[in-house]
């Protein structure tokens, strides 16, 4: 009886699971956010923009509504460390808790905030 169940499993279920794994689309985490841009050393943002943050297999992209685009790829074996499209270091910093995340670049920091209400028109 056990061998009959095993044959049924091996001939019907395993191929179906393999087929389903190829049929399912791979999706990234994509979220609308607010991006506050802080020049290095500044205590106030130079700009606030609606943006879209996307994370996929460790890669991060930030697409601002004004057309500026950031592309960060992970540094192998270094959690929280990335490189931008100019191969310059980018560091993911803590400090916003559940409100968002911070990316520190050589000339600026990008505060990605989940709450976009500050950009709503009055």
């Amino acid at each position: 009886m056990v061998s009959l169940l095993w044959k049924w499993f091996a001939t019907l279920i395993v191929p179906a699971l393999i087929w389903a794994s190829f049929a399912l689309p791979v999706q990234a985490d994509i979220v609308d956010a607010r991006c506050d841009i802080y020049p290095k050393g500044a205590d106030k943002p130079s700009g606030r923009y609606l943006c879209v943050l996307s994370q996929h297999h460790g890669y991060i992209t930030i697409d601002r509504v004004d057309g500026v685009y950031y592309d960060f790829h992970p540094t192998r074996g270094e959690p929280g460390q990335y490189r931008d499209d100019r191969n310059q270091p980018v560091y993911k910093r803590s400090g916003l808790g559940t409100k968002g995340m911070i990316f520190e670049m050589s000339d600026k920091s990008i505060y990605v905030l989940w709450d976009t209400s500050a950009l709503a028109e009055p």
Side-chain angles (χ1 to χ4, degrees):
M1 181 71 170
V2 172
S3 67
L4 181 62
L5 286 175
W6 176 249
K7 286 180 186 179
W8 177 79
F9 180 78
T11 58
L12 296 177
I13 303 300
V14 171
L17 290 174
I18 292 170
W19 177 83
S21 70
F22 289 110
L24 294 173
V26 176
Q27 297 199 1
D29 292 328
I30 300 172
V31 65
D32 291 332
R34 181 182 98 208
C35 288
D36 292 357
I37 310 302
Y38 286 83
K40 189 168 186 86
D43 59 352
K44 293 184 181 178
S46 62
R48 289 186 165 154
Y49 307 91
L50 284 174
C51 61
V52 176
L53 175 100
S54 175
Q55 298 182 85
H56 184 67
H57 293 294
Y59 292 81
I60 295 177
T61 60
I62 301 171
D63 192 2
R64 291 185 355 203
V65 72
D66 65 342
V68 176
Y69 185 81
Y70 303 97
D71 189 12
F72 306 145
H73 59 273
T75 303
R76 185 174 287 178
E78 301 291 333
Q81 296 186 24
Y82 301 86
R83 293 277 175 177
D84 65 13
D85 57 353
R86 297 175 295 141
N87 205 32
Q88 297 298 308
V90 178
Y91 304 99
K92 183 177 174 186
R93 300 289 189 212
S94 61
L96 296 178
T98 59
K99 294 180 181 180
M101 46 180 74
I102 303 168
F103 295 96
E104 182 182 309
M105 303 170 74
S106 61
D107 59 341
K108 68 176 121 323
S109 293
I110 305 169
Y111 283 58
V112 180
L113 302 156
W114 313 137
D115 182 7
T116 61
S117 64
L119 296 174
E121 298 201 26

